[in-house]
Amino acid sequence: MPSQGYATIGLKPAILSKLQKITDEYYPGMFLPSALIILMNEIKRGYYTVDTYAIKEDFAGRYTSLTIRSDVKAWFDENFEKYKDDYNRKYRASSFTQFASYFMLNMFESKAKSQNYIVKLKEADFRWLEEEYQKRKQEYRQKYSVFTFDQFADIFLKELLAKVDEAKRVLTI
């Protein structure tokens, strides 16, 4: 029995295993309940929405309990009330535990989809970007009123991506 401020949900072994594997991929070294808190907050802030995907899961085996924070459980309850008909039609998820399983998998799928639109840079790329910042600091300060590296990086990378898009457009003509 969880202490005050915590709740448990039941998950089948295949679902729990898949969720832990996905958690290790996106949040290395983090436990699933902590990842769920982060995902919930990202979704609440509007970074992405939870879409439904073509998921077919194995609900065989005995239920295992997962202890999560009570605010996450309450958020799952709210979404269950809001989307239970949709999830019942799409996944035949008639119970809260089945809904929660599919909803969590869809949360991670939506996170993965949102990652497709993010530019990933390595540390070496930042060194190059910092060198560009030092070279163009005065020009960008006058031209765009840029005073920080973050502001410069946003504008410079946006310009760079616009040039790449333009080059793609020209090359496809």
Side-chain angles (χ1 to χ4, degrees):
M1 186 77 185
S3 64
Q4 189 174 6
Y6 292 91
T8 58
I9 56 174
L11 295 174
K12 293 292 186 166
I15 305 287
L16 185 59
S17 174
K18 189 170 186 174
L19 287 169
Q20 288 172 331
K21 183 180 174 200
I22 297 169
T23 298
D24 289 340
E25 181 180 334
Y26 288 102
Y27 304 103
M30 189 176 288
F31 293 112
L32 175 58
S34 300
L36 292 174
I37 293 166
I38 292 170
L39 288 168
M40 176 188 72
N41 288 329
E42 290 174 345
I43 292 165
K44 281 183 170 183
R45 288 186 181 122
Y47 294 161
Y48 49 92
T49 58
V50 181
D51 296 322
T52 56
Y53 297 91
I55 299 172
K56 203 73 161 140
E57 285 307 319
D58 176 21
F59 280 94
R62 298 177 65 140
Y63 278 102
T64 311
S65 64
L66 175 68
T67 302
I68 58 175
R69 264 187 8 194
S70 58
D71 62 331
V72 176
K73 171 72 164 66
W75 185 67
F76 283 161
D77 287 336
E78 289 171 22
N79 283 292
F80 176 61
E81 290 304 316
K82 193 185 300 183
Y83 300 116
K84 68 181 169 185
D85 293 335
D86 295 337
Y87 275 68
N88 193 11
R89 267 192 305 279
K90 182 157 181 120
Y91 303 113
R92 291 196 165 99
S94 55
S95 70
F96 173 78
T97 53
Q98 289 176 336
F99 166 82
S101 298
Y102 281 114
F103 190 73
M104 284 185 274
L105 291 169
N106 282 326
M107 285 169 60
F108 279 105
E109 287 292 329
S110 297
K111 168 95 174 161
K113 183 181 169 194
S114 74
Q115 296 295 312
N116 291 337
Y117 305 108
I118 293 176
V119 176
K120 295 181 181 179
L121 297 173
K122 298 175 189 158
E123 186 177 342
D125 295 332
F126 277 109
R127 282 191 221 114
W128 167 81
L129 197 54
E130 287 173 0
E131 289 171 7
E132 288 296 320
Y133 175 61
Q134 294 306 322
K135 285 185 212 171
R136 301 167 191 254
K137 189 188 288 189
Q138 293 302 322
E139 172 193 344
Y140 275 64
R141 189 168 285 162
Q142 293 170 348
K143 194 172 179 182
Y144 301 108
S145 299
V146 168
F147 294 100
T148 66
F149 173 75
D150 290 342
Q151 292 171 332
F152 167 79
D154 286 343
I155 293 172
F156 185 75
L157 292 174
K158 186 177 179 181
E159 288 176 343
L160 198 58
L161 291 173
K163 290 176 184 176
V164 168
D165 286 341
E166 180 65 23
K168 281 196 284 188
R169 189 186 63 76
V170 168
L171 292 172
T172 57
I173 292 179

